[in-house]
Amino acid sequence: MKIRRLPVGPVVLSLFAVVLSGLLWWAGTPARAAFAPTVALIPVSGIVTGQPESVKFSGQAQISSELVLDTSKFNLPPAVILVFDLSNVSGIGSSTGSKYVAGGNGTNVYRQLVSNDTVEITFPFTRGTTMSVSSTGLPSVRAGVVTFALSFDTNTGAITTGTANIAGPTFPF
């Protein structure tokens, strides 16, 4: 008696290929293609007025810019991820001559890539050489705003030029 076998191997292999190609089609290409970041050093200066004293800041901000292209089916316009580092920005108190340190290092901002853009970052600062809390337990941290005017290479996302100005925050009433 002869036993007939069905060709199961080719059927299973074909089914596996169909499922795999369906999964690859559904997943699509990566949603974002990012490129190596570029770094720019931007001179920063300005005065934050307020109590207990006004503080004059100066130094260099380091800004990392990473080009992001959307390769998904949504086809969004190019963008940049900006990372701001104010660790080389410091201040001097106008009445006491005390040293102040700026914080907020590593602030991330996601922006659509355009040739010229203005970005405002609010940053904390405090008297001394490190960010701290006063001995009374109340925060001795104040806030400032740095406004960056940046120009970009729209092909690479690199910052080509930039300026920055520090001022005190404005509160809407």
Side-chain angles (χ1 to χ4, degrees):
M1 177 182 237
K2 201 170 192 184
I3 300 176
R4 289 182 50 187
R5 292 187 159 190
L6 294 174
V8 176
V11 172
V12 170
L13 186 58
S14 296
L15 182 61
F16 177 76
V18 168
V19 170
L20 182 61
S21 55
L23 286 172
L24 291 173
W25 175 85
W26 180 76
T29 56
R32 140 185 162 183
F35 298 87
T38 60
V39 175
L41 297 175
I42 306 294
V44 177
S45 64
I47 298 173
V48 176
T49 57
Q51 295 300 322
E53 65 182 333
S54 295
V55 180
K56 182 178 181 179
F57 284 95
S58 63
Q60 281 194 325
Q62 180 176 303
I63 307 171
S64 170
S65 176
E66 180 180 352
L67 177 64
V68 178
L69 299 176
D70 180 11
T71 60
S72 72
K73 297 172 189 162
F74 298 110
N75 199 23
L76 298 173
V80 287
I81 298 173
L82 303 172
V83 181
F84 294 86
D85 179 356
L86 302 177
S87 62
N88 290 321
V89 176
S90 59
I92 301 291
S94 62
S95 58
T96 65
S98 296
K99 293 183 179 181
Y100 285 78
V101 63
N105 304 327
T107 301
N108 294 323
V109 177
Y110 183 87
R111 306 285 284 198
Q112 183 174 338
L113 179 59
V114 292
S115 59
N116 296 297
D117 200 359
T118 301
V119 180
E120 282 190 351
I121 302 294
T122 301
F123 67 95
F125 70 92
T126 188
R127 181 185 284 183
T129 57
T130 60
M131 294 298 294
S132 64
V133 174
S134 69
S135 60
T136 62
L138 299 174
S140 62
V141 177
R142 294 172 56 193
V145 175
V146 59
T147 303
F148 292 93
L150 304 172
S151 297
F152 293 90
D153 178 331
T154 55
N155 293 317
T156 64
I159 297 170
T160 55
T161 61
T163 60
N165 185 48
I166 290 180
T170 56
F171 301 101
F173 291 99

